[in-house]
């Protein structure tokens, strides 16, 4: 079976603020040299429209069952819409994407929603949605190196999940990687991932924003390729989350999509995915988008309250939602544009709200990370405010696997998390190994 996409599809970089700058995807460039804005990948939609919408749906669906790469990847099964000119032999995939859409039936019915579903993006090779974008970025780097572009290594700043994804994909491709982590601000599981994959791990005595600043400075050297989400190649892979969600729902988008936001690349990516589906006629309307932030790292929420006049960078405080502990989001302007196009809102969650919302979802069989807890708490609050109407169909982007955050879970159920009242704690029962005591303990099961 041929997996090479039909020729004639093209994409290139364009200035995201529309100043007219364009460049080849095979240039090492992250910002518009004319106005300093971020770049975006612009697809030739006319060429893509040469295939009718119904045929795209058929193609995407037929590839979904494939056991072989590249179509076994949820991202590369949509190759033509992601990075059409990337040769199949340069794809670096670990089998990302194609994740469950998990219904939370009890929570939906308690909240009066028609449906509440988790797009489980953390059911993924390195345990977070970052894999969806990183497969595209690392594949592009592999292609650049094959073309003779002198890239020695790939580098990123991270709150834990980007570095795990980058180091895994780079290891698979045989490309050296360097990760900048804020010391003591990522979970132990997240720290050990790049270590295991052979990355050079720099643990810096600063926060994420400090790491981000440094990595931007060192990647001014073109031999070190920047892998943060200001690099718009990652957005192209993450955009597929929106495409896959609509495919899961037989191309009938939900009423609301709720996304936890830190650096705000993912909210922008989902927006781009929905917009492209609509422009191509695969869906007929857009969902509304809600971005959810931790109250302790809420610059977008504050800007939203102020009518999006401006971003006031803040010092993000320590939060259980450590992957979104970001005070100066790189994709702020992109995210504001997305929210404006999707009649969007921004909500925030306290430590107690996010931890209890995560525990509530866990009772239905998932294992929710604290960031997904932020999004679920936002759903509870937006329903209570009447912003999300009763009877709505709601999808939440679950961004990471809870197994990366075992300390958070243990602390919750022990009741030892600061500023959290554990309303659903389920601590183990400690007993002598005696039949009578065991029988007595089981009485409450009925
Ligand atoms: C990166 C990350 C986020 C935030 O995504 P942004 O694109 O930075 O807004 C949320 N949750 C988890 C688990 C993450 O790793
Ligand atoms: Zn520009």
């Amino acid at each position: 079976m041929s997996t090479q996409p039909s020729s004639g599809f093209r994409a290139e970089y364009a200035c995201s603020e529309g100043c007219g700058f364009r460049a080849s995807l095979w240039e090492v460039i992250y910002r518009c040299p004319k106005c300093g804005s971020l770049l975006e990948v612009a697809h030739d939609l006319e060429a893509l429209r040469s295939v009718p919408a119904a045929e795209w749906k058929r193609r995407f669906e037929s590839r979904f069952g494939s056991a072989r790469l590249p179509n076994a990847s949820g991202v590369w099964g949509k190759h033509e819409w992601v990075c059409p000119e990337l040769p199949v032999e340069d794809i670096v995939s670990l089998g990302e994407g194609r994740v469950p859409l998990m219904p939370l039936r009890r929570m939906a019915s308690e909240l009066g929603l028609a449906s509440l579903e988790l797009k489980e993006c953390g059911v993924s090779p390195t345990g977070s949605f970052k894999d969806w974008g990183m497969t595209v970025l690392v594949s592009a780097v592999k292609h650049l190196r094959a073309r003779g572009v002198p890239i020695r290594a790939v580098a990123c700043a991270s709150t834990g999940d980007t570095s795990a994804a980058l180091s895994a994909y780079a290891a698979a491709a045989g490309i050296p990687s360097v990760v900048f982590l804020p010391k003591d601000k990522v979970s132990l599981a997240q720290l050990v991932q790049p270590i295991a994959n052979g990355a050079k791990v720099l643990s810096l005595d600063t926060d994420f924003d400090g790491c981000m600043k440094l990595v931007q400075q060192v990647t001014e050297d073109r031999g070190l390729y920047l892998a943060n989400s200001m690099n718009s190649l990652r957005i192209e892979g993450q955009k597929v989350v929106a495409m896959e969600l609509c495919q899961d729902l037989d191309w009938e988008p939900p009423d609301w999509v709720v996304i936890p936001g830190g650096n705000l690349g993912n909210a922008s990516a989902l927006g781009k995915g929905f917009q492209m589906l609509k422009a191509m006629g695969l869906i007929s309307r857009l969902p509304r988008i809600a971005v959810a932030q931790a109250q302790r790292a809420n610059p977008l929420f504050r800007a939203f309250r102020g009518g999006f006049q401006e971003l006031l960078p803040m010092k993000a405080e320590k939060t259980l939602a450590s992957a979104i502990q970001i005070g100066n989001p790189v994709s702020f302007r992109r995210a504001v544009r997305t929210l404006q196009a999707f009649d969007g809102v921004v909500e925030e969650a306290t430590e107690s709200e996010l931890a209890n919302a995560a525990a509530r979802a866990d009772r239905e069989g998932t294992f929710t990370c604290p960031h997904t807890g932020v999004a679920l708490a936002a759903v509870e609050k937006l329903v209570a405010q009447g912003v999300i109407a009763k009877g709505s169909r709601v999808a939440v982007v679950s961004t990471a696997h809870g197994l990366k955050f075992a300390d958070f879970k243990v602390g919750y159920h022990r009741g030892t998390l600061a500023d959290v009242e554990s309303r659903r704690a389920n601590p183990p029962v400690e007993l002598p190994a005696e039949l009578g005591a065991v029988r007595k303990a089981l009485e409450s099961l009925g």
Side-chain angles (χ1 to χ4, degrees):
M1 184 176 62
S2 165
T3 47
Q4 182 75 45
S6 350
S7 54
F9 301 124
R10 286 189 318 272
E12 60 183 354
Y13 286 129
C15 172
S16 65
E17 296 295 322
C19 85
F21 174 78
R22 296 207 159 225
S24 156
L25 290 188
W26 315 128
E27 275 187 46
V28 177
I29 187 171
Y30 318 109
R31 281 189 183 276
C32 172
K34 282 166 71 184
C35 73
S37 308
L38 296 182
L39 298 173
E40 64 183 18
V41 175
H43 289 265
D44 181 348
L45 293 185
E46 280 315 309
L48 288 171
R49 282 198 192 98
S50 66
V51 176
E55 171 61 15
W56 281 120
K57 292 181 185 177
R58 197 201 59 75
R59 281 191 198 179
F60 292 155
E61 283 159 14
S62 73
R63 293 170 187 173
F64 222 58
S66 175
R68 282 179 196 278
L69 290 171
N71 288 342
S73 159
V75 172
W76 294 107
K78 297 182 167 58
H79 192 158
E80 302 93 321
W81 289 42
V82 171
C83 195
E85 290 152 293
L86 185 91
V88 169
E89 61 270 20
D90 287 334
I91 288 177
V92 183
S93 173
L94 298 172
E96 56 289 323
R98 292 210 313 193
V99 302
L101 182 65
M102 181 191 170
L104 299 177
R105 293 198 176 85
R106 284 197 290 278
M107 194 165 167
S109 101
E110 286 160 14
L111 293 175
L113 296 171
S115 63
L116 174 60
E117 297 181 293
L118 287 178
K119 188 62 179 159
E120 296 265 41
C121 299
V123 180
S124 189
T126 76
S128 87
F129 79 83
K130 300 295 200 298
D131 293 339
W132 300 61
M134 210 52 87
T135 182
V136 179
L137 182 136
V138 173
S139 299
V141 172
K142 183 175 175 196
H143 183 58
L144 288 167
R145 282 164 54 111
R147 289 164 64 117
V149 180
I151 295 172
R152 300 192 306 282
V154 284
C156 74
S158 177
T159 53
D161 290 329
T162 300
S163 47
L166 178 63
S167 50
Y169 284 86
I175 300 170
S177 63
V178 190
V179 306
F180 291 56
L181 291 171
K183 189 164 180 278
D184 298 332
K185 294 188 179 70
V186 308
S187 78
L188 193 60
Q190 288 172 319
L191 175 63
V192 81
Q193 287 182 287
I195 290 174
N197 289 135
K200 182 172 278 298
V201 178
L202 307 181
S203 180
L204 302 172
D205 194 7
T206 179
D207 57 8
F208 171 80
D209 298 290
C211 291
M212 189 69 221
K213 201 167 149 207
L214 280 165
V215 82
Q216 290 192 52
Q217 288 165 343
V218 300
T219 54
E220 280 168 15
D221 165 0
R222 295 288 161 94
L224 265 183
Y225 192 84
L226 177 66
N228 279 97
S229 59
M230 61 181 283
N231 184 322
S232 51
L233 289 169
R234 279 188 41 207
I235 302 295
E236 290 311 292
Q238 291 172 209
K239 166 185 97 179
V240 175
V241 174
M243 300 175 67
E244 193 175 297
L245 174 64
C246 290
Q247 184 173 340
D248 293 338
L249 296 169
D250 290 327
W251 309 103
E252 188 53 56
D255 299 313
W256 282 92
V257 177
V258 185
I259 310 161
N263 226 3
L264 304 177
N266 204 33
S268 319
L270 268 101
K272 188 170 183 203
F274 290 120
Q275 278 169 327
M276 208 166 152
L277 288 167
K278 176 133 187 295
M280 291 290 299
L282 276 71
I283 59 174
S284 56
R285 60 171 184 85
L286 297 175
R288 292 182 70 186
I289 287 181
V291 175
Q293 294 207 294
Q295 193 177 59
R296 291 184 173 172
N298 63 353
L300 184 72
F301 178 76
R302 292 181 191 202
F304 173 68
R305 282 286 157 96
F308 287 137
Q309 295 303 315
E310 58 177 336
L311 169 72
L312 292 176
M314 62 183 284
K315 173 114 188 108
E317 289 169 50
K318 189 171 169 56
T319 166
L320 293 163
S322 52
I324 54 175
Q325 187 182 328
I326 296 176
N328 188 13
V330 166
S331 291
F332 174 75
R333 289 185 61 80
R334 277 205 279 231
V336 168
R337 259 203 310 280
T338 302
L339 285 163
Q340 286 168 341
F342 287 77
D343 193 11
V345 301
V346 186
E347 187 49 273
E348 62 175 3
T350 65
E351 300 297 286
S352 212
E353 286 167 346
L354 74 89
N356 281 298
R360 184 176 186 178
D362 285 358
R363 290 296 179 90
E364 297 200 50
T366 178
F367 200 64
T368 320
C369 78
H371 324 88
T372 306
V374 170
L376 287 164
V379 171
E380 295 174 331
K381 295 171 84 170
L382 291 168
V383 169
Q385 292 158 21
V387 175
I388 296 183
K390 299 269 176 189
S392 298
R393 295 161 63 238
V394 179
V396 167
V397 177
S398 173
T399 47
H401 204 296
L403 285 171
K404 287 202 191 206
F405 302 92
D407 287 352
F408 161 68
K409 296 287 183 203
V410 172
Y412 180 85
H413 290 287
R414 282 194 177 140
T416 56
L417 296 179
D419 306 310
V420 172
E421 186 206 332
S422 302
R423 293 202 306 271
R424 293 170 201 269
N426 181 30
V429 183
E430 298 198 0
L431 289 176
E434 288 163 11
L435 188 57
V438 170
R439 283 219 168 105
K440 193 158 178 4
L442 297 183
E443 272 165 15
S444 65
L445 290 176

